[in-house]
Amino acid sequence: MQHKIIMPIRTRLLASFVAIAFLVLAVFGIVAYRIAQESAALQEAMTLQRGLEEVAGYLAPVLQQTPPDLSQLEPLRFPFLQHAKLFLVHTSEGLPVEVGPWQRDHFAGKTKLIADLANSSNARSGQITVAADRFTWASVFVPGTNLRLTVVHPAIVAEFATLQTLGMRLLVTAGVVIWIAVWGALIITSLLTRHLRNQNARLVHQALHDELTDLPNRTLLFDRIEQALHRARRESHPVALFLMDLDRFKEVNDTLGHHFGDHVLQQVGKRI
């Protein structure tokens, strides 16, 4: 009976600890993935912005001319221009300035992006989502002019790299957390099992022994007699029952009181 009660508690507690550990790991993994993803997006945007600042330096001498000599731009090679959806030199009001073969204008979110940049006086960068597609953008001022250079290109898909970076760290963390959870559950269940076993033993002892003398009570007596009779029938041997009585015990209770009588019974019980 005791085994049937304690084992499910131990199993349930261990399963609960492991489930909580997995839940904590899942939450930690999601948060860590989001942080890593946002960090990668920020790094990509900042890299594009630094590259644009260098390009704007090349464009500045040409755009400062009146009119600009766009033929000077032909030898230049911009590595991110191949996939750019937007390569636009424009005024703060959003009016485009011709830059010859470098111009790109295939970005559906151009109007909103240029409007957001209208009141900005600093270089800016970030990521934007248009029709479920994610793009990285940056906008810098062309030195010596009132013009801005704004470039948008598809965001680099970094999910695999992010998962690869976090994978080993999460596996190590998962192993440590689960190990702690399992050992914590085993220690707690061991203490709980010991407490339940001791509690059960006390309850069984109280049910089968007299509260005053701590001697076996009538229930235990009948059980032992029944066992002895079954054994006697099985092995064909007699059974003896030894009875004891305390002479003049009633006089002790009547003359000295029940408290003293209880003390006598306790002392007799210890000596039997």
Side-chain angles (χ1 to χ4, degrees), residues 1-6 200:
M1 184 66 178
Q2 178 182 347
H3 180 72
K4 291 181 180 180
I5 293 175
I6 293 176
N200 186 62

Side-chain angles (χ1 to χ4, degrees), residues 12-105:
R12 287 197 298 268
L13 191 58
L14 181 59
S16 299
F17 269 67
V18 174
I20 293 174
F22 273 111
L23 178 62
V24 171
L25 285 172
V27 174
F28 172 76
I30 293 173
V31 172
Y33 174 75
R34 293 299 301 170
I35 292 175
Q37 193 177 41
E38 292 175 3
S39 176
L42 178 61
Q43 183 177 2
E44 181 184 350
M46 293 302 297
T47 300
L48 177 60
Q49 180 178 323
R50 287 193 294 268
L52 279 193
E53 290 172 350
E54 183 177 353
V55 172
Y58 293 135
L59 293 176
V62 177
L63 296 177
Q64 289 171 3
Q65 299 174 7
T66 306
D69 183 6
L70 299 181
S71 62
Q72 298 180 28
L73 298 178
E74 294 180 2
L76 300 179
R77 294 292 181 267
F78 302 145
F80 49 79
L81 187 61
Q82 181 179 359
H83 303 289
K85 296 295 182 181
L86 181 69
F87 187 97
L88 186 66
V89 176
H90 59 93
T91 64
S92 59
E93 292 80 15
L95 299 177
V97 174
E98 181 65 32
V99 288
W102 306 117
Q103 190 134 345
R104 299 286 188 276
D105 192 358

Side-chain angles (χ1 to χ4, degrees), residues 146-165:
N146 293 324
L147 303 176
R148 295 187 74 112
L149 169 61
T150 302
V151 173
V152 178
H153 71 72
I156 298 174
V157 180
E159 280 78 3
F160 178 76
T162 302
L163 289 175
Q164 191 175 27
T165 302

Side-chain angles (χ1 to χ4, degrees), residues 38-272:
E38 292 175 3
S39 176
L42 178 61
Q43 183 177 2
E44 181 184 350
M46 293 302 297
T47 300
L48 177 60
Q49 180 178 323
R50 287 193 294 268
L52 279 193
E53 290 172 350
E54 183 177 353
V55 172
Y58 293 135
L59 293 176
V62 177
L63 296 177
Q64 289 171 3
Q65 299 174 7
T66 306
D69 183 6
L70 299 181
S71 62
Q72 298 180 28
L73 298 178
E74 294 180 2
L76 300 179
R77 294 292 181 267
F78 302 145
F80 49 79
L81 187 61
Q82 181 179 359
H83 303 289
K85 296 295 182 181
L86 181 69
F87 187 97
L88 186 66
V89 176
H90 59 93
T91 64
S92 59
E93 292 80 15
L95 299 177
V97 174
E98 181 65 32
V99 288
W102 306 117
Q103 190 134 345
R104 299 286 188 276
D105 192 358
H106 310 297
F107 181 56
K110 181 187 76 171
T111 303
K112 182 178 183 302
L113 179 60
I114 298 300
D116 291 340
L117 293 171
N119 298 322
S120 175
S121 58
N122 298 315
R124 293 176 58 189
S125 62
Q127 288 198 336
I128 186 173
T129 301
V130 177
D133 294 324
R134 197 159 186 83
F135 299 89
T136 301
W137 65 271
S139 182
V140 299
F141 282 97
V142 178
T145 70
N146 293 324
L147 303 176
R148 295 187 74 112
L149 169 61
T150 302
V151 173
V152 178
H153 71 72
I156 298 174
V157 180
E159 280 78 3
F160 178 76
T162 302
L163 289 175
Q164 191 175 27
T165 302
L166 291 177
M168 185 57 65
R169 299 177 184 177
L170 288 176
L171 284 177
V172 173
T173 304
V176 173
V177 171
I178 293 176
W179 183 83
I180 293 174
V182 170
W183 275 103
L186 290 175
I187 292 173
I188 292 177
T189 53
S190 176
L191 296 175
L192 181 60
T193 299
R194 185 182 305 173
H195 174 75
L196 292 176
R197 185 181 293 114
N198 294 337
Q199 186 69 17
N200 186 62
R202 284 194 296 269
L203 292 175
V204 171
H205 185 84
Q206 291 175 4
L208 299 178
H209 291 77
D210 181 71
E211 183 179 357
L212 178 64
T213 63
D214 203 35
L215 293 175
N217 60 14
R218 184 178 301 177
T219 302
L220 185 57
L221 171 64
F222 288 161
D223 179 72
R224 294 296 184 265
I225 291 176
E226 186 176 359
Q227 291 182 21
L229 291 176
H230 282 302
R231 190 181 303 109
R233 294 191 192 99
R234 186 173 61 252
E235 299 177 2
S236 301
H237 62 70
V239 175
L241 180 62
F242 182 69
L243 300 177
M244 294 180 60
D245 192 16
L246 292 179
D247 294 336
R248 302 174 64 185
F249 180 71
K250 185 177 182 304
E251 296 180 10
V252 174
N253 272 338
D254 292 342
T255 58
L256 299 177
H258 291 283
H259 177 72
F260 195 83
D262 292 343
H263 182 69
V264 171
L265 291 176
Q266 290 174 344
Q267 292 300 318
V268 172
K270 292 179 182 179
R271 298 181 185 185
I272 292 180

